[in-house]
Amino acid sequence: MTPYTVLCNELKMLYVAITRPKNRLIIYDDKKDKMEGRKAFQYYWGELGLCELVSKKILEENIEKGDQSKDIASFKALITQTNAQEWKKQGIRMFKNKYYEQAMKCFDKSGDKDLKMRAEAYHSAEKAASDVSDINAKRMYMREGLYPYSTYSKAQRKGFFKDLKREE
């Protein structure tokens, strides 16, 4: 993939992420060194009254004050470091719901190599099963499409192609 293609895909995903929420969109970014790139967005959205900048410092101050609002509760998870046990727990949840690829990532972050390998195996098996069913479906459609064609005589079949060439 070219850098241009990657950028286009990323912008499409950003567009979808920004336009789908009904009430609130939270964009979390803890990379201080990349702040220059997002200043334009912050300024533009801030001028329109669409953006509120919440820093880790502001969150910690509100938590210390005892603020139990829904906003603070939802942001609190962003500043809390997750440990290996939490990643493993989330991986198990993902695995049970058959989100094997996400489970692999969680188990990788938890450091549990055995569960990661199990999730990889299930992911590969699921992918292979879908590929096989896809091939079988394509064969079925091909047979269904060829059957009517095969019932015609050779002369009639040649006529089909002549008609197609004329329509082009």
Side-chain angles (χ1 to χ4, degrees):
M1 258 194 212
T2 66
Y4 176 75
T5 307
V6 172
L7 177 63
C8 285
N9 287 335
E10 292 290 323
L11 287 172
K12 287 175 189 174
M13 287 189 280
L14 178 63
Y15 171 79
V16 170
I18 289 173
T19 58
R20 296 308 182 261
K22 293 184 185 213
N23 298 320
R24 171 174 298 154
L25 169 67
I26 298 171
I27 300 175
Y28 175 74
D29 186 7
D30 63 354
K31 293 180 175 65
K32 291 174 180 58
D33 59 328
K34 304 287 184 189
M35 193 168 164
E36 286 300 315
R38 67 177 174 262
K39 271 187 180 177
F41 285 112
Q42 265 179 246
Y43 176 77
Y44 179 71
W45 290 338
E47 289 295 308
L48 294 173
L50 300 173
C51 174
E52 181 182 346
L53 181 63
V54 180
S55 68
K56 185 175 181 177
K57 184 180 176 186
I58 293 169
L59 285 175
E60 288 172 345
E61 287 171 1
N62 284 326
I63 291 168
E64 284 175 17
K65 289 179 191 173
D67 189 343
Q68 297 298 322
S69 69
K70 191 176 179 181
D71 292 340
I72 298 300
S74 63
F75 286 120
K76 191 175 179 181
L78 296 174
I79 63 169
T80 307
Q81 292 292 323
T82 44
N83 60 31
Q85 192 62 29
E86 289 170 351
W87 279 113
K88 183 177 178 178
K89 207 169 161 181
Q90 183 64 19
I92 292 168
R93 259 189 242 118
M94 293 292 178
F95 190 88
K96 285 180 179 177
N97 288 306
K98 298 182 181 182
Y99 298 123
Y100 303 122
E101 196 170 0
Q102 289 83 358
M104 288 175 354
K105 292 174 184 175
C106 291
F107 293 139
D108 185 43
K109 290 190 181 234
S110 76
D112 195 321
K113 292 178 184 173
D114 293 335
L115 287 175
K116 181 184 176 193
M117 283 175 40
R118 187 182 298 179
E120 284 174 347
Y122 273 78
H123 177 65
S124 297
E126 184 180 60
K127 190 171 183 222
S130 72
D131 289 348
V132 167
S133 67
D134 191 38
I135 289 169
N136 289 335
K138 286 178 183 174
R139 284 183 186 155
M140 182 185 72
Y141 292 131
M142 184 179 266
R143 273 189 236 116
E144 287 175 2
L146 289 176
Y147 176 73
Y149 177 74
S150 66
T151 59
Y152 292 101
S153 69
K154 260 189 174 179
Q156 288 173 315
R157 284 186 240 164
K158 285 183 181 176
F160 287 141
F161 293 113
K162 287 178 184 173
D163 290 343
L164 288 174
K165 286 180 183 176
R166 268 188 259 135
E167 289 181 23
E168 289 177 346

